[in-house]
C-alpha cells in the first residue's frame, strides 16, 4: 500500500484536530543501531521538542537493558511534521537516558552535542550522502534482481532511467517528498551503481542537526518502504562480489574553510584526521572492512590518503574546491550504517586538536 493510499484511508476517520488531540511519534535509536518508535496522544500542538514530556520504553526488548531493570528513558530533542498522519501530528526524535538521568551508553548524541557546542563559533556544516539498497522479502535478493542468476554488470544503473535499469523509483520519490514535508533538509537523490541501490543527501546542516536529520530521514525511509512491503538495507556490502558497497560520505566545512584561502584550513583538518585514521575507522561503521577494499571507489581501510577529485582516496577534495581554494572536504570512509553522531563528533574533535 502506498503512502498516498494509506493517507486516503486515514482521512476517512474523524479529524483529531477537531477534538484538540495530537499524535506524537516518539522515535529513538536502539541497541542495534536501528530506529524504534511508539505513539502517544497529547492535547496541544507542540512548537518545539522541549515542550514534550519524557517517556520510557522496555530496553530489554531493544538491546538496551536487562529484564530485571528494563526501563530506559526517552527525551524528545528534535521535532518534525509527521508526513504519514499529516495535520498537527509530529515526529519527535528522542535521546535515550538511564533511570538516574545519565546518558544511556547508546546515546552518542550527548557527547556529540558537547563537542558541537564547544566549537559552535566555527559554524560547522555537514552534509551526509546516505546510500542504501532495497531488498525483496520474497526472494531475499535486491529489489528488481532476477529470481535466478544476476542482473547485467553494474554500469547502466547509476543515475539510470527506464525499465530494466530502475527498480523502486516510487518508493524513492515517496521518501523524498515525505522528508520535505517533515522539514528534513534533504537536498537530492539518485540511483546508485548497483540495481536497487540508491542514495539521498541530507544537508547542509549545522552542528548537531546533522545527526538529528539523518536519523529521522532513516526512520521516514523505513516507514515508507514498510508501506510498499520492501526491506531497506544499510549494510556497507549488501551484495558480495563485484558490486559497489554502500557508504555515508560525509562532507564537512567550518566557516574558515568556506572563506578565501580556506583550502589551508581544509588541509590542516585533513592532516589531523590522518593522524587518527584508525580512531576514525573504529566509529565509521560495522563491517566497513568489507567495503573499504581499495576497489569500487574506495580507499583501503588500513591506509589513509587524500587528493583532489580522487574517489579512491580516504578524503576527497572536490575539484571545484581545489580550483577556488575554499569550500569543504568529503570524508569517503564512513559506511552506510554509521551513527552520524559518532562520525560528525570525531571529525570535529580531530579538526580542533591543538596544532603541534
Amino acid at each position: 500500500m502506498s503512502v498516498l493510499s494509506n493517507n486516503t484511508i486515514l482521512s476517512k476517520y474523524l479529524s483529531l484536530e477537531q477534538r484538540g488531540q495530537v499524535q506524537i511519534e516518539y522515535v529513538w535509536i536502539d541497541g542495534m543501531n536501528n530506529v524504534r518508535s511508539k505513539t502517544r496522544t497529547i492535547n496541544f500542538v507542540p512548537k518545539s521538542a522541549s515542550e514534550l514530556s519524557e517517556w520510557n520504553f522496555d530496553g530489554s526488548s531493544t538491546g538496551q537493558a536487562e529484564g530485571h531493570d528494563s526501563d530506559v528513558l526517552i527525551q524528545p530533542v528534535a521535532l518534525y511534521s509527521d508526513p504519514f498522519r499529516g495535520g498537527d501530528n509530529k515526529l519527535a526524535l528522542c535521546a535515550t537516558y538511564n533511570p538516574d538521568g545519565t546518558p544511556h551508553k547508546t546515546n552518542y548524541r550527548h557527547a556529540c552535542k558537547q563537542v558541537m557546542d564547544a566549537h559552535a563559533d566555527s559554524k560547522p556544516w555537514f552534509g551526509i550522502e546516505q546510500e542504501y539498497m532495497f531488498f525483496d522479502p520474497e526472494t531475499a535478493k535486491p529489489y528488481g534482481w532476477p529470481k535466478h542468476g544476476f542482473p547485467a554488470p553494474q554500469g547502466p544503473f547509476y543515475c539510470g532511467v527506464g525499465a530494466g535499469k530502475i527498480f523502486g523509483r516510487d518508493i524513492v520519490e515517496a521518501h523524498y517528498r515525505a522528508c520535505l514535508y517533515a522539514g528534513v533538509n534533504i537536498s537530492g537523490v539518485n540511483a546508485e551503481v548497483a540495481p536497487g541501490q540508491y542514495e539521498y543527501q541530507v544537508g547542509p546542516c549545522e552542528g548537531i542537526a546533522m545527526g538529528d536529520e539523518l536519523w529521522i530521514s532513516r526512520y521516514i525511509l523505513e516507514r515508507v518502504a514498510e508501506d510498499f512491503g520492501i526491506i531497506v538495507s544499510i549494510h556497507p556490502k549488501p551484495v558480495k562480489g563485484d558490486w559497489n558497497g554502500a557508504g555515508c560520505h560525509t562532507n564537512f566545512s567550518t566557516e574558515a574553510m568556506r572563506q578565501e584561502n580556506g583550502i589551508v584550513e581544509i588541509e590542516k583538518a585533513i592532516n589531523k584526521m590522518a593522524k587518527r585514521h584508525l580512531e576514525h575507522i573504529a566509529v565509521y561503521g560495522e563491517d566497513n572492512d568489507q567495503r573499504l577494499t581499495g576497489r569500487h571507489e574506495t580507499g583501503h581501510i588500513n591506509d589513509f590518503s587524500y587528493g583532489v577529485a580522487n574517489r579512491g582516496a580516504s578524503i576527497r577534495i572536490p575539484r571545484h574546491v581545489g580550483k577556488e581554494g575554499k569550500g569543504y572536504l568529503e570524508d569517503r570512509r564512513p559506511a552506510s550504517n554509521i551513527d552520524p553522531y559518532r562520525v560528525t563528533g570525531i571529525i570535529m574533535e580531530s579538526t580542533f586538536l591543538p596544532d603541534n
Side-chain angles (χ1 to χ4, degrees), residues 131-137 139-145 166-176 190-191 194-200 220-222 224-226 228-235 238-239:
E131 295 179 337
Y132 63 93
M133 182 171 270
F134 290 134
F135 275 79
D136 186 334
T139 64
K141 299 180 77 170
Y143 187 48
W145 285 35
I166 296 300
F167 310 96
R169 192 185 293 276
D170 49 353
I171 310 175
V172 172
E173 187 67 18
H175 171 248
Y176 197 163
N190 61 269
Q197 186 181 44
Y198 293 90
E199 172 191 301
Y200 65 91
I220 293 171
L221 178 60
E222 291 279 7
V224 169
E226 174 188 314
F228 287 88
I230 295 298
I231 295 169
V232 177
S233 170
I234 58 171
H235 191 276
V239 182

Side-chain angles (χ1 to χ4, degrees), residues 231-295:
I231 295 169
V232 177
S233 170
I234 58 171
H235 191 276
K237 190 68 173 178
V239 182
K240 309 298 182 188
D242 194 21
W243 301 95
N244 273 30
C248 262
H249 301 154
T250 302
N251 302 285
F252 167 66
S253 70
T254 61
E255 186 173 45
M257 294 176 187
R258 298 187 292 269
Q259 294 177 345
E260 291 302 315
N261 205 33
I263 192 69
V264 173
E265 296 301 318
I266 291 173
E267 290 181 340
K268 279 184 182 178
I270 291 173
N271 288 329
K272 289 179 179 179
M273 282 190 267
K275 295 176 182 177
R276 304 183 74 203
H277 175 62
L278 295 182
E279 292 176 65
H280 280 251
I281 290 297
V283 298
Y284 274 15
E286 296 296 322
D287 297 322
N288 206 13
D289 58 313
Q290 297 178 27
R291 167 180 163 265
L292 294 182
T293 62
R295 301 180 62 229

Side-chain angles (χ1 to χ4, degrees), residues 26-30 34-38 57 64 74 94 96:
Y26 278 56
V27 180
W28 72 94
I29 302 107
D30 69 12
N34 298 312
V35 284
R36 306 276 183 134
S37 74
K38 61 178 185 173
F57 65 90
Q64 291 168 292
I74 40 177
C94 301
T96 52

Side-chain angles (χ1 to χ4, degrees), residues 56-304:
N56 64 77
F57 65 90
D58 173 14
S60 68
S61 298
T62 65
Q64 291 168 292
E66 299 294 332
H68 66 275
D69 186 13
S70 62
D71 280 359
V72 178
L73 307 180
I74 40 177
Q75 181 64 56
V77 293
L79 196 64
Y80 304 88
S81 297
D82 188 335
F84 304 103
R85 294 180 172 120
D88 291 328
N89 303 300
K90 306 292 182 184
L91 305 178
L93 182 68
C94 301
T96 52
Y97 291 87
N98 298 312
D100 63 2
T102 58
H104 192 272
K105 63 182 180 180
T106 59
N107 179 358
Y108 297 112
R109 187 184 192 273
H110 181 79
C112 180
K113 190 172 188 303
Q114 288 182 321
V115 174
M116 295 300 176
D117 288 348
H119 302 288
D121 290 346
S122 70
K123 300 189 185 307
W125 289 0
F126 295 91
I128 292 183
E129 306 164 24
Q130 175 69 69
E131 295 179 337
Y132 63 93
M133 182 171 270
F134 290 134
F135 275 79
D136 186 334
E138 293 186 3
T139 64
K141 299 180 77 170
Y143 187 48
W145 285 35
K147 293 183 179 180
H148 305 287
F150 294 88
Q154 57 189 31
F157 310 104
Y158 173 70
C159 295
V161 178
K165 302 186 191 76
I166 296 300
F167 310 96
R169 192 185 293 276
D170 49 353
I171 310 175
V172 172
E173 187 67 18
H175 171 248
Y176 197 163
R177 294 191 180 196
C179 282
L180 289 172
Y181 181 96
V184 172
N185 189 21
I186 183 170
S187 50
V189 300
N190 61 269
E192 266 302 330
V193 175
Q197 186 181 44
Y198 293 90
E199 172 191 301
Y200 65 91
Q201 303 89 34
V202 175
C205 298
E206 188 165 332
I208 198 66
M210 182 68 258
D212 293 346
E213 298 210 6
L214 190 71
W215 270 118
I216 208 69
S217 74
R218 284 176 174 175
Y219 169 80
I220 293 171
L221 178 60
E222 291 279 7
R223 281 284 283 103
V224 169
E226 174 188 314
D227 278 345
F228 287 88
I230 295 298
I231 295 169
V232 177
S233 170
I234 58 171
H235 191 276
K237 190 68 173 178
V239 182
K240 309 298 182 188
D242 194 21
W243 301 95
N244 273 30
C248 262
H249 301 154
T250 302
N251 302 285
F252 167 66
S253 70
T254 61
E255 186 173 45
M257 294 176 187
R258 298 187 292 269
Q259 294 177 345
E260 291 302 315
N261 205 33
I263 192 69
V264 173
E265 296 301 318
I266 291 173
E267 290 181 340
K268 279 184 182 178
I270 291 173
N271 288 329
K272 289 179 179 179
M273 282 190 267
K275 295 176 182 177
R276 304 183 74 203
H277 175 62
L278 295 182
E279 292 176 65
H280 280 251
I281 290 297
V283 298
Y284 274 15
E286 296 296 322
D287 297 322
N288 206 13
D289 58 313
Q290 297 178 27
R291 167 180 163 265
L292 294 182
T293 62
R295 301 180 62 229
H296 302 113
E297 300 181 293
T298 69
H300 196 278
I301 193 168
N302 294 326
D303 303 320
F304 182 89

